[in-house]
Amino acid sequence: MRKFFLVLAVAVGVWIAGESLAGPAVKIPWFGWTEGVQQGRKERRLLLVYFHKPACPFCERMDAVTFTDKGVQDAVRRCFVPVKVESFDARQFPGPSGEKLSGILLRDRFKVSTFPTVVVLDFRDPFKEYLRIPGYLGPKDFLEMLTYVTQGWYTEMPFDEFLDRLLNKRLPAKGSRGTC
């Protein structure tokens, strides 16, 4: 019995040491709407807008799984300005053009009814939508959907055509196209 507790103590110690050596998970540096639009214009990068709501299990899973994935974090940091919108927040704030906005107004303006929803928008016109991802996606599927934007396919074909080519393996190899 003593041997069991000794092995258990060592295993817990190794697990705790491993966790502390790895450090805390790096988080995506989310902007609010106004700051994100301004940052996107300044950096000339597309906006990745994440509409979520409180007590949403799929939003919590998106936060805990997809947005903590290193590949997703790298793609978001490299290619987008990340913006998080709490879709049921009624507090008003000034928009980039001085208009009064809220999470509810943005949710309604973008006609978001599924949570989570991620929308990729143009930095020049933050109401021009390139991609909409409704619902939860794991990291691998999320990155494949972002490929439509990060590899510039949105300038060449509608999303439905891209998705058909992706699913039927009729897209050129990833290495043959630049990213962002």
Side-chain angles (χ1 to χ4, degrees):
M1 189 63 137
R2 184 185 274 178
K3 191 174 190 177
F4 169 77
F5 285 114
L6 180 61
V7 169
L8 180 63
V10 169
V12 168
V14 167
W15 177 71
I16 290 172
E19 289 291 310
S20 64
L21 289 175
V26 177
K27 295 187 177 185
I28 292 176
W30 296 104
F31 287 90
W33 175 261
T34 303
E35 298 80 13
V37 170
Q38 291 168 343
Q39 193 71 19
R41 287 176 179 161
K42 178 180 170 187
E43 296 179 12
R44 303 183 57 77
R45 290 195 300 154
L46 298 174
L47 307 175
L48 183 125
V49 183
Y50 171 44
F51 289 91
H52 71 105
K53 71 177 188 173
C56 164
F58 292 109
C59 300
E60 291 168 4
R61 185 170 173 94
M62 194 84 159
D63 288 333
V65 177
T66 304
F67 290 134
T68 60
D69 179 81
K70 184 174 178 3
V72 169
Q73 290 178 349
D74 290 346
V76 170
R77 279 196 192 91
R78 188 178 67 252
C79 301
F80 303 98
V81 172
V83 176
K84 198 171 197 179
V85 175
E86 205 284 74
S87 301
F88 289 84
D89 191 347
R91 291 176 292 173
Q92 291 194 337
F93 55 88
S97 303
E99 71 277 34
K100 289 188 178 183
L101 295 173
S102 70
I104 292 172
L105 290 170
L106 288 169
R107 176 198 72 203
D108 293 347
R109 181 144 188 196
F110 285 98
K111 296 178 174 58
V112 173
S113 59
T114 302
F115 299 95
T117 291
V118 174
V119 181
V120 176
L121 305 172
D122 192 319
F123 65 87
R124 293 170 292 265
D125 176 2
F127 293 102
K128 182 175 182 182
E129 187 174 316
Y130 292 123
L131 175 66
R132 178 176 291 243
I133 304 171
Y136 170 79
L137 285 180
K140 180 180 180 289
D141 293 331
F142 188 77
L143 283 169
E144 283 185 348
M145 294 300 100
L146 289 183
T147 299
Y148 177 65
V149 178
T150 61
Q151 292 188 2
W153 294 109
Y154 70 99
T155 64
E156 298 176 29
M157 67 183 81
F159 182 70
D160 293 344
E161 182 180 341
F162 165 79
L163 194 55
D164 178 60
R165 288 184 182 192
L166 177 70
L167 294 174
N168 292 303
K169 301 185 185 331
R170 292 185 292 130
L171 284 176
K174 289 181 180 180
S176 66
R177 294 185 68 88
T179 57
C180 306

